[in-house]
Amino acid sequence: MKKITLIMALLLTAGMSMQAISDSVSSLRGGNDIDNDSTTTPAKKYNKDGEPIARDYVQQPPLIPHKITNYRINLKSNKCMSCHSWADYREAGATKISQTHFESRDKHVLANVSARRYFCTQCHVPQVDAKPLVENEFTPITAISGQQ
Amino acid sequence: MSNKNSKECNDMILCRIWQVLKKPSVTYSLGTLLVVGFISGVLFWGGFNTAMEMTNNEDFCISCHEMEDNVYQEYKQTIHYSNRTGVRATCPDCHVPKEWNHKVVRKIQASNELLHKALGTIDTREKFEGKRLQLASNVWKAMKKTDSRECRNCHNFEYMDFGEQGRRAVKAHSEGLDAGKTCIDCHKGIAHELPDMHDVDPGSSIGDI
């Protein structure tokens, strides 16, 4: 009988402390009850087409300075390449795709874009006008920024 | 009926009917005939145009699964289905000319499409994809020939505000159109997924790897 009371008491305290923990944790939707509407932040809009965005370091994948809504990339076609390929960049006035993108994993240079560079938006992303979440004091080297 | 004529006709039934039709009416006045002719003309004409209109809306276009399962699903992701202002472009807006004479020609061509519907030429996704380059090329060719007439029914270049357009659009529109290009040269795939583009623009598709 004593044993059972002890176990019961233990379970009770465990249950209560669990309750305390779950009260202090706030999930991504905040402390809202499940049947309340959560507060939504308005969706950010992508910037309009602009000039190329300055790079911060040499190896950085350049940011996309234009809208890419509805640009499809699949095995049949790649919308980005219709402007950035060597065949099309002049007419489109676009930056020609980097030569490094023709290299396979084993450093073989291929005749067309390498499969590991085919899905452009893995690395290149368009921008929204948003405040940085944390302070960032990074400054590019002078060879890039041109400023002492 | 003169004896001479019926003798020539003998037993040929079509010939007999023609003889009757040729004979001037004795029972009906010219006025009645004109009125009846006019009314049935209106009815026929109205019916014809109604049939054209009934087959000229989105519901009809996607009433067969070939269209509903393939192009329609893709089109639903694009700007002409859902956008800021809620103005839509439906299938016939882009695929059927507005002018009456061009419209009739397109509708007659559509009978070929009905034949292939019956044959099941594109009745699976795989078959559809297999034929897609050919289907798309037909549309491109037609639009090239008409200087993208159907696009221009809604988009009038004269009234585009370059101040509102994006940087790339302004550049392409001011240079490209002067160089003799038309909308479809630059806006392929505006409403559907593209076919395998390897043969059209080898730079924009990975091809066989």
Side-chain angles (χ1 to χ4, degrees), chain A residues 55-62 138 140-141 143-144:
Chain A
R55 302 181 202 180
D56 285 330
Y57 55 99
V58 184
Q59 298 83 356
Q60 174 200 340
F138 182 88
I141 51 171
I144 290 185

Side-chain angles (χ1 to χ4, degrees), chain A residues 48-52 65-68 70-72 74-83 85-88 90-94 110 112-116 118, chain B residues 74-75 77-79 125 129 132 163-169 171 175 181 186-189 191-198 201-207 209:
Chain A
K48 278 192 156 189
D49 288 12
E51 294 172 35
H66 54 71
K67 288 216 240 176
I68 59 163
N70 261 319
Y71 286 179
R72 285 194 203 85
N74 58 25
L75 279 182
K76 296 180 289 170
S77 72
N78 181 328
K79 174 80 179 175
C80 314
M81 291 298 279
S82 70
C83 291
S85 73
W86 283 54
D88 300 309
R90 266 174 253 120
E91 221 179 289
L110 310 175
N112 203 344
V113 176
S114 165
R116 64 183 192 146
Y118 190 71
Chain B
E74 300 159 7
Y75 150 76
Q77 318 290 323
T78 70
I79 186 130
R125 178 76 185 170
E129 283 296 336
R132 186 164 216 158
E164 284 293 317
Q165 289 196 349
R167 183 179 145 101
R168 290 173 305 153
K171 189 163 173 289
E175 290 171 8
K181 295 222 163 168
C186 302
H187 289 291
K188 293 190 176 69
H192 316 289
E193 265 183 37
L194 285 169
D196 190 334
M197 294 296 276
H198 196 61
D201 180 6
S204 76
S205 158
I206 201 154
I209 38 166

Side-chain angles (χ1 to χ4, degrees), chain A:
Chain A
M1 191 63 202
K2 258 191 179 166
K3 257 190 194 159
I4 294 179
T5 327
L6 190 68
I7 293 171
M8 294 267 276
L10 275 174
L11 279 176
L12 204 67
T13 31
M16 268 155 67
S17 50
M18 296 274 267
Q19 180 72 36
I21 292 173
S22 67
D23 275 350
S24 65
V25 171
S26 82
S27 73
L28 277 179
R29 61 195 303 276
N32 264 350
D33 273 345
I34 202 79
D35 43 4
N36 281 349
D37 285 341
S38 52
T39 49
T40 46
T41 44
K44 295 231 161 43
K45 288 209 181 104
Y46 285 114
N47 293 348
K48 278 192 156 189
D49 288 12
E51 294 172 35
I53 301 162
R55 302 181 202 180
D56 285 330
Y57 55 99
V58 184
Q59 298 83 356
Q60 174 200 340
L63 299 166
I64 306 177
H66 54 71
K67 288 216 240 176
I68 59 163
T69 328
N70 261 319
Y71 286 179
R72 285 194 203 85
I73 304 176
N74 58 25
L75 279 182
K76 296 180 289 170
S77 72
N78 181 328
K79 174 80 179 175
C80 314
M81 291 298 279
S82 70
C83 291
H84 287 281
S85 73
W86 283 54
D88 300 309
Y89 81 93
R90 266 174 253 120
E91 221 179 289
T95 323
K96 163 176 83 203
I97 188 171
S98 173
Q99 218 171 332
T100 60
H101 293 32
F102 286 64
E103 237 172 51
S104 75
R105 191 164 49 181
D106 332 299
K107 301 262 181 247
H108 292 306
V109 178
L110 310 175
N112 203 344
V113 176
S114 165
R116 64 183 192 146
R117 289 277 189 275
Y118 190 71
F119 295 95
C120 319
T121 43
Q122 267 178 286
C123 306
H124 298 281
V125 285
Q127 296 293 292
V128 297
D129 190 13
K131 278 205 301 281
L133 292 174
V134 290
E135 200 194 348
N136 187 342
E137 292 173 346
F138 182 88
T139 43
I141 51 171
T142 53
I144 290 185
S145 68
Q147 280 151 14
Q148 278 306 325

